[in-house]
Amino acid sequence: MGELYSNHNYLVETDGTLLLVVRLIGEFVNGNNEPVTEADLLIDTDTHPLVCPYRTLQFHVYILDKESQDWVAVDHIGIGGQALFIGGSESTSVSAAKFPGCERGSIYFTDDYWERVDEDYLYGGHDIGVYNIGSGRISQLCELGSDKIEPPPFWVTQSWEQHQHLSSLL
């Protein structure tokens, strides 16, 4: 993808349909969430670049058309009431209506950029958030800044049946 961006791909099954989720990551992202080159981070008096970690900037979602066997771009209503969870653990889809607080039509993501997560002692594991497919906006799940998080977070999910059983016990 070049010097400014990299991408990660995920396959997610939702209601018997296969989705391809493409995550676009800025290699170096400034305070305005704009990708910059590493050379832009160097200052004249120092040869070490300023800290400017990678960050997820956007997602593209495609659905597999079973008849044509082609990937078709999904618009903002394409995943309906579902919420997708992607990252270092299993990628999954849940019905947002069944999990209070879950945003429908959104992608929840954790940092799984393994090639860079241990590259620097100042950051890594920090790229966590929620991408709203309709608005194209990313919001943070919690205020982490750009500090290093070890080990990088991952999702733990339970099935709806397990959720119902646990709820009935409480």
Side-chain angles (χ1 to χ4, degrees):
M1 297 239 28
E3 185 178 337
L4 295 179
Y5 302 97
S6 66
N7 70 305
H8 289 176
N9 301 323
Y10 308 86
L11 291 176
V12 183
E13 186 274 328
T14 180
D15 292 332
T17 303
L18 191 59
L19 300 175
L20 171 63
V21 179
V22 180
R23 179 180 188 171
L24 187 66
I25 302 168
E27 290 294 333
F28 295 95
V29 179
N30 66 19
N32 296 325
N33 282 330
E34 300 167 336
V36 296
T37 66
E38 187 173 18
D40 292 337
L41 303 174
L42 296 173
I43 56 178
D44 293 335
T45 58
D46 193 0
T47 57
H48 191 302
L50 301 171
V51 174
C52 198
Y54 58 90
R55 187 163 306 279
T56 297
L57 300 175
Q58 192 175 21
F59 286 89
H60 298 283
V61 181
Y62 303 90
I63 189 168
L64 180 62
D65 181 317
K66 293 178 183 176
E67 288 183 27
S68 69
Q69 295 295 301
D70 289 328
W71 293 105
V72 179
V74 170
D75 61 17
H76 68 281
I77 60 169
I79 66 169
Q82 298 299 111
L84 307 180
F85 287 80
I86 63 168
S89 54
E90 177 183 357
S91 298
T92 192
S93 170
V94 301
S95 169
K98 292 181 180 179
F99 293 91
C102 222
E103 287 182 35
R104 62 181 290 236
S106 291
I107 301 171
Y108 290 76
F109 62 94
T110 60
D111 196 338
D112 66 346
Y113 198 172
W114 307 126
E115 297 84 2
R116 295 204 49 208
V117 78
D118 287 327
E119 178 175 89
D120 194 302
Y121 66 91
L122 295 174
Y123 65 86
H126 66 280
D127 192 16
I128 305 165
V130 181
Y131 178 80
N132 182 288
I133 294 172
S135 70
R137 289 193 169 151
I138 292 178
S139 57
Q140 300 302 312
L141 279 175
C142 52
E143 200 57 45
L144 298 173
S146 61
D147 297 329
K148 188 168 187 78
I149 299 172
E150 290 189 286
F154 60 93
W155 300 116
V156 176
T157 59
Q158 62 185 17
S159 70
W160 174 243
E161 291 76 22
Q162 290 170 323
H163 177 75
Q164 287 294 92
H165 176 71
L166 291 173
S167 296
S168 68
L169 295 176
L170 299 176

